Amino acid sequence: MLSGMQRTQDEETKSAQDMLGGLNWGDSKPQHEDKSEIAIHFATGHMKEFTGQDGKEYARISIPTEQEQGKSWPSFVLPRDMVKENEGGKSMWAKIPAEGKTTLSVSEANGVGEDGKKLFKTKYASIENKGLKKLMEASREQSQNRDSFKDKLEEKKAEVQPPAQGMGAQHKDQVL
């Protein structure tokens, strides 16, 4: 039996997917209430800044998952001033209410318009913030496992491929 620290990559992939699959996705945004805070962490590249219709600055944070074709990563929006950058600049963090809920949104392909462009529909789901923190952590673990797999793949390629010959180098058996 595997401990929590020894889970396989398939189990980690399933956990993030299972968490998203268990949400009740609908067409309207749920309302929620805020209280004490918890910290969530995410990569800088998963945040996009934008200005809302109210003129305020916001950050859309995407949650990388193994998604179906025609579906975007789930995401949520926070006021930009809640999001802070870590010292190294490669990651971000934000404090959110511990007992509150956050609205996730995901866009899905919903057909093709008259002009031939894909049409999308946005669906919404409400998730408890403690569940969001777990989802973010599962996604980060899944991403780190993908990165370590890529590193191992590069090492294997280096072992199999012979070193490249220089432009002027000739093979020792070649006759001039």
Side-chain angles (χ1 to χ4, degrees):
M1 187 160 139
L2 297 175
S3 71
M5 297 301 287
Q6 297 172 325
R7 293 185 300 179
T8 65
Q9 183 175 1
D10 289 341
E11 288 172 328
E12 289 172 0
T13 301
K14 281 194 292 188
S15 66
Q17 278 305 106
D18 290 344
M19 291 173 86
L20 288 172
L23 295 177
N24 183 17
W25 293 94
D27 294 331
S28 62
K29 292 183 181 180
Q31 301 297 319
H32 34 267
E33 192 176 307
D34 300 336
K35 293 186 183 180
S36 64
E37 297 177 326
I38 57 174
I40 56 171
H41 301 269
F42 49 93
T44 303
H46 297 156
M47 183 190 82
K48 302 284 186 228
E49 296 181 48
F50 67 96
T51 304
Q53 292 177 346
D54 58 2
K56 296 179 182 177
E57 297 294 317
Y58 293 96
R60 175 172 299 281
I61 294 116
S62 298
I63 306 169
T65 61
E66 301 291 330
Q67 73 270 16
E68 299 171 22
Q69 187 77 7
K71 242 184 178 179
S72 67
W73 283 343
S75 62
F76 59 97
V77 175
L78 295 174
R80 179 58 183 100
D81 60 354
M82 286 179 66
V83 179
K84 310 295 182 208
E85 187 173 345
N86 280 343
E87 289 181 21
K90 293 183 179 180
S91 63
M92 310 289 281
W93 61 276
K95 286 190 176 181
I96 59 174
E99 299 302 321
K101 291 187 175 188
T102 297
T103 300
L104 293 178
S105 64
V106 66
S107 296
E108 295 180 342
N110 193 29
V112 179
E114 293 176 9
D115 58 357
K117 293 183 179 180
K118 285 185 181 180
L119 299 176
F120 289 88
K121 181 176 183 175
T122 302
K123 292 191 172 189
Y124 302 95
S126 182
I127 185 171
E128 292 196 18
N129 288 347
K130 290 178 183 177
L132 177 62
K133 181 177 175 82
K134 289 179 185 177
L135 179 61
M136 298 292 286
E137 289 170 352
S139 176
R140 189 172 63 214
E141 286 177 23
Q142 182 178 326
S143 177
Q144 288 171 346
N145 285 339
R146 271 195 303 267
D147 292 343
S148 65
F149 176 76
K150 287 178 186 176
D151 293 341
K152 289 177 186 174
L153 183 61
E154 291 299 322
E155 290 172 10
K156 287 288 184 190
K157 282 182 181 179
E159 289 175 12
V160 173
Q161 293 177 349
Q165 298 286 328
M167 291 293 285
Q170 296 179 357
H171 193 277
K172 65 179 181 180
D173 296 333
Q174 186 176 5
V175 178
L176 297 174

